[in-house]
């Protein structure tokens, strides 16, 4: 009986210890849009979440809550599905907000100054929504990494230049908010900078996804070295 009792107590103690062990396992969560939820565009090749999981240390796990087509307004609903053991958040959002404002590029304007005001108004509306999304993420009390909006790969070179110039206003908002909160930011404009990084003009290919995954894993797993304040990181940091 004593031996049985000792075995039972040992089993019970092991079971009680299991939740702590699982809680100690870092759990990375990807939030946002098709920059992370790009499985529909890779032609059967690995998507971002698969490549993140492949690169993470064995003591880590990762989940995808990002949804293709999402905007800043959709982040609270993604956070509502946040696992209880989530430990790190990475957010890439804003591209679809910018697409929703692309009529600014075609709006008539008599002067460059008038065009800049139109763009500024669109970027201002985006910033207000982006701040709410960031606030919702920060309210979870977890480390947060954010991403800029990349420039895409449009076949029309003139439209590509126009888009990059317009996105600079949106990215300025992303970077300023990140600096205000002392966040680490990944500059996807530098990370996805070649045509093969894109499956179409606005979605990352498996090649681009590998670069994004590498940057994410390197950033969230790097050892703490006392660095403080905001950081904007590119492809090789």
């Amino acid at each position: 009986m004593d031996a049985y009792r000792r075995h039972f107590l040992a089993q019970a103690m092991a079971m009680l210890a299991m939740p702590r062990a699982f809680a100690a396992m870092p759990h990375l969560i990807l939030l946002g849009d098709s920059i992370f939820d790009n499985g529909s565009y890779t032609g059967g090749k690995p998507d971002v979440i698969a490549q993140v999981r492949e690169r993470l240390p064995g003591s880590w796990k990762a989940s995808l809550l990002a949804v293709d087509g999402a905007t800043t307004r959709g982040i609270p609903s993604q956070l509502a599905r946040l696992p209880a053991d989530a430990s790190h958040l990475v957010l890439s959002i804003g591209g679809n907000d910018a697409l929703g404002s692309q009529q600014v590029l075609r709006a008539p304007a008599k002067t460059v100054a008038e065009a800049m005001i139109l763009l500024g108004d669109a970027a201002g509306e985006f910033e207000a929504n982006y701040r709410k999304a960031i606030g919702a993420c920060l309210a979870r009390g977890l480390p947060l990494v954010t991403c800029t909006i990349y420039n895409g790969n449009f076949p029309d070179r003139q439209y590509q230049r126009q888009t990059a110039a317009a996105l600079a206003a949106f990215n300025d908002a992303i970077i300023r908010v990140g600096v205000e909160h002392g966040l680490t930011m990944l500059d996807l404009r530098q990370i996805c900078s070649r045509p093969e990084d894109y499956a179409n003009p606005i979605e990352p290919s498996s090649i681009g996804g590998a670069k994004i995954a590498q940057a994410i894993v390197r950033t969230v797993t790097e050892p703490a070295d006392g660095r403080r304040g905001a950081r904007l990181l590119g492809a090789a940091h």
Side-chain angles (χ1 to χ4, degrees):
M1 178 63 74
D2 287 343
Y4 174 80
R5 187 174 298 162
R6 285 195 298 271
H7 176 74
F8 177 81
L9 289 173
Q11 291 277 12
M13 293 298 294
M15 292 181 68
L16 287 172
M18 285 176 65
R20 294 186 179 181
F22 285 122
M25 177 182 289
H27 190 174
L28 170 64
I29 309 296
L30 302 186
L31 302 164
D33 54 28
S34 59
I35 302 303
F36 294 157
D37 185 23
N38 70 324
S40 299
Y41 308 102
T42 61
K45 296 180 180 179
D47 56 4
V48 169
I49 186 63
Q51 295 181 96
V52 165
R53 288 169 176 157
E54 179 183 355
R55 288 166 170 77
L56 281 172
S59 58
W60 285 66
K61 59 181 178 178
S63 295
L64 177 69
L65 296 187
V67 178
D68 184 5
T71 66
T72 48
R73 296 178 185 272
I75 297 306
S77 65
Q78 294 182 22
L79 288 168
R81 298 184 286 117
L82 199 67
D85 65 344
S87 62
H88 295 71
L89 306 179
V90 182
L91 171 69
S92 180
I93 199 69
N96 292 313
D97 296 76
L99 283 174
S101 301
Q102 64 181 328
Q103 71 275 6
V104 171
L105 295 178
R106 302 183 178 89
K110 297 178 181 178
T111 64
V112 173
E114 186 176 328
M116 291 177 66
I117 290 174
L118 291 172
L119 178 59
D121 288 344
E125 180 180 356
F126 164 73
E127 181 173 341
N129 292 326
Y130 185 76
R131 285 183 179 278
K132 292 178 182 177
I134 292 296
C137 290
L138 292 175
R140 299 293 176 148
L142 301 174
L144 173 65
V145 175
T146 61
C147 302
T148 63
I149 306 168
Y150 56 34
N151 291 326
N153 183 45
F154 297 93
D156 184 330
R157 293 299 93 186
Q158 182 175 353
Y159 187 73
Q160 177 75 46
R161 293 173 62 190
Q162 293 171 348
T163 300
L167 286 175
F170 288 76
N171 281 319
D172 177 66
I174 290 173
I175 293 170
R176 278 191 292 105
V177 173
V179 169
E180 288 175 17
H181 292 285
L183 301 179
T184 296
M185 298 162 278
L186 299 178
D187 193 350
L188 296 188
R189 294 170 296 183
Q190 297 184 50
I191 293 169
C192 292
S193 59
R194 302 179 63 83
E196 60 266 27
D197 296 332
Y198 296 90
N200 58 40
I202 60 173
E203 315 291 353
S205 65
S206 187
I207 294 173
K211 294 181 177 180
I212 294 170
Q214 182 178 17
I216 290 172
V217 172
R218 185 167 56 231
T219 300
V220 300
T221 61
E222 62 186 357
D225 59 2
R227 281 191 298 249
R228 300 174 64 89
R231 294 187 298 158
L232 181 63
L233 306 177
H237 61 271

